[in-house]
Amino acid sequence: MDEIKKVYILKGIGVPEYYLGGDFMEIKDPSLNAKGIHSALSASTYIKNSLEKFGKSLTETGELKQYKTPMLEQYHPEMDNSPFLDDTMATLYRSIIGSLNWIVTLGRFDVLYATNTMARFAITPREGHLMAAKRILGYLKKYPDGKLCINPTKLDLASLQAKFKTFTNWKEFYPDAREELPKDRPSPMGQKVQITIFVDADHAHCEVTRRSITGIIVFVNGTPVHWFSKMQNTVETSTYGSELVAARIATDFALEYRYNIRMLGYEVDGPTIILGDNNAVILNTTIPSSQLKKKHNAIAYLHVREMIACEAIQCIHIPSTMNLADGATKPLGGIIHHRLIQPVMFGDGTPSLFNGSAMEEKTED
């Protein structure tokens, strides 16, 4: 920066603290520093400003009620029959959704599902939808200090991979399978980079269309970098089908990040590990001799298997109670929600799956 200042006039140069609503935090906790964590990203300031602005518009006192979860566990906004909002309140609703979307972008993926769900009703919101949006704000008021630690330490996948049986006879089924590598990528330097993806689907969640919800959280080493929650484009007749569609989307994210990491001048550390809680999908896509039972899922099925064959990805089964992506597919109860979110957003960033006892829990597909 000193060299640049010889040529250009620079203002406000120093340790970054705040940019586009996001806080840059310097971590001084010795226990976190020992793990290589020295900085974090937060939306605390933006959340505080948003709560002050919307609190005055939504309540007489300006104070929003606090909640332990961002959405009621059994709430389905598509079934809400309350009166439509007038033009003034509908505009306020859209303003709230816009702010919540930016808060999600800044890293608060604990309100990802709730925000994306309520955004579907921004054109003609109802009074019940506004109450649901107020609840998200109330949750953020109770927990404003969530942060994403920039954690360069790789997740400890050894115990998971030890339980996974590797198959080597993929050439028999996919003789030409290979991962496309960018021809113009720079020579890799530095340490290899690990990519890990949590994936989940909630089958037929929408009670009007019966479409499923896909949820995905992408980690680069120990840092979450991408969070995704979206209603699927097709109506799947089985849990297997919806989970397979989610696995195909996760595979596409894996290929995207493998490309990005390589173009940044780093080497990817082995296959991308995709962690899902549907045992049928994991077994059906990872055992070469298994056959597809649902023919209409053939494209997703073959795409995932081919990427496994060329060692671009590796699918591993985990308990649904430890699947971080679960909160991106449906509203969760307080205990489950905080068990998944607290270690990542209010701890050192390591998902609860890697606390040593996760694999001892009962599997729930």
Side-chain angles (χ1 to χ4, degrees):
M1 299 307 298
D2 291 337
E3 292 299 314
I4 295 176
K5 282 192 286 188
K6 294 178 181 178
V7 182
Y8 300 98
I9 298 175
L10 303 179
K11 298 181 180 180
I13 300 302
V15 178
E17 296 179 355
Y18 185 78
Y19 182 68
L20 293 178
D23 299 295
F24 293 80
M25 304 169 60
E26 184 178 358
I27 304 296
K28 297 182 179 180
D29 186 336
S31 63
L32 295 180
N33 295 159
K35 298 179 180 180
I37 301 173
H38 298 279
S39 57
L41 306 176
S42 171
S44 299
T45 301
Y46 187 85
I47 290 173
K48 178 183 177 181
N49 295 337
S50 297
L51 293 176
E52 290 179 356
K53 178 175 68 173
F54 294 123
K56 296 176 182 178
S57 302
L58 292 170
T59 65
E60 294 181 358
T61 62
E63 293 294 325
L64 293 163
K65 183 179 178 180
Q66 299 183 16
Y67 295 92
K68 292 184 178 181
T69 60
M71 181 178 281
L72 282 172
E73 197 171 355
Q74 302 301 326
Y75 181 56
H76 284 268
E78 67 272 14
M79 303 299 292
D80 196 313
N81 292 319
S82 59
F84 289 105
L85 297 174
D86 59 32
D87 290 343
T88 300
M89 296 307 292
T91 299
L92 175 62
Y93 178 85
R94 286 187 280 270
S95 181
I96 293 172
I97 295 301
S99 293
L100 289 174
N101 273 324
W102 189 242
I103 289 170
V104 170
T105 301
L106 292 174
R108 289 302 298 266
F109 61 80
D110 51 338
V111 297
L112 168 63
Y113 170 78
T115 299
N116 280 10
T117 299
M118 301 317 302
R120 287 162 40 200
F121 306 94
I123 301 300
T124 53
R126 297 177 180 270
E127 292 179 2
H129 299 153
L130 181 61
M131 294 298 295
K134 285 176 62 176
R135 183 185 179 93
I136 303 174
L137 294 174
Y139 168 81
L140 291 171
K141 181 179 181 179
K142 187 173 181 64
Y143 305 103
D145 298 325
K147 63 184 184 300
L148 294 183
C149 292
I150 308 302
N151 188 351
T153 305
K154 296 178 182 178
L155 299 177
D156 184 9
L157 297 165
S159 60
L160 292 173
Q161 290 177 304
K163 297 176 180 289
F164 177 82
K165 182 179 179 181
T166 303
F167 296 90
T168 59
N169 57 330
W170 284 103
K171 290 295 182 182
E172 178 183 348
F173 300 92
Y174 299 91
D176 300 321
R178 62 185 181 87
E179 183 180 6
E180 293 289 341
L181 301 178
K183 297 180 181 179
D184 55 344
R185 60 173 175 159
S187 299
M189 301 176 65
Q191 298 181 3
K192 294 182 179 181
V193 175
Q194 175 198 70
I195 305 173
T196 310
I197 300 178
F198 289 84
V199 60
D200 192 28
D202 191 45
H203 179 240
H205 181 82
C206 179
E207 294 192 354
V208 173
T209 66
R210 284 306 176 187
R211 293 186 182 183
S212 307
I213 308 294
T214 296
I216 294 172
I217 310 292
V218 181
F219 279 76
V220 171
N221 287 348
T223 306
V225 297
H226 192 114
W227 31 97
F228 176 89
S229 176
K230 188 176 184 296
M231 184 181 292
Q232 295 181 1
N233 295 328
T234 58
V235 179
E236 296 298 329
T237 58
S238 65
T239 300
Y240 173 87
S242 63
E243 295 277 3
L244 187 56
V245 169
R248 190 266 304 166
I249 298 173
T251 299
D252 289 340
F253 278 133
L255 297 177
E256 173 188 345
Y257 274 88
R258 291 173 73 84
Y259 174 86
N260 290 340
I261 292 298
R262 286 170 172 141
M263 293 306 291
L264 286 171
Y266 289 88
E267 188 174 351
V268 180
D269 187 10
T272 296
I273 305 300
I274 296 180
L275 304 170
D277 56 26
N278 187 276
N279 202 37
V281 170
I282 300 297
L283 293 177
N284 206 209
T285 55
T286 56
I287 299 176
S289 58
S290 64
Q291 297 181 354
L292 179 66
K293 303 298 182 183
K294 306 284 186 179
K295 290 185 178 180
H296 71 285
N297 294 126
I299 294 176
Y301 170 80
L302 293 171
H303 180 53
V304 174
R305 281 167 59 90
E306 187 172 17
M307 291 303 101
I308 292 175
C310 70
E311 299 182 353
I313 67 171
Q314 185 179 25
C315 295
I316 295 178
H317 180 264
I318 59 173
S320 61
T321 54
M322 292 295 163
N323 190 348
L324 185 60
D326 196 37
T329 65
K330 55 184 169 294
L332 301 175
I335 295 176
I336 299 175
H337 175 82
H338 289 284
R339 185 205 301 146
L340 293 173
I341 292 298
Q342 196 279 334
V344 178
M345 197 149 290
F346 300 93
D348 64 359
T350 304
S352 56
L353 176 66
F354 303 98
N355 65 8
S357 61
M359 296 306 293
E360 301 302 324
E361 298 219 5
K362 181 180 178 181
T363 300
E364 298 178 7
D365 290 337

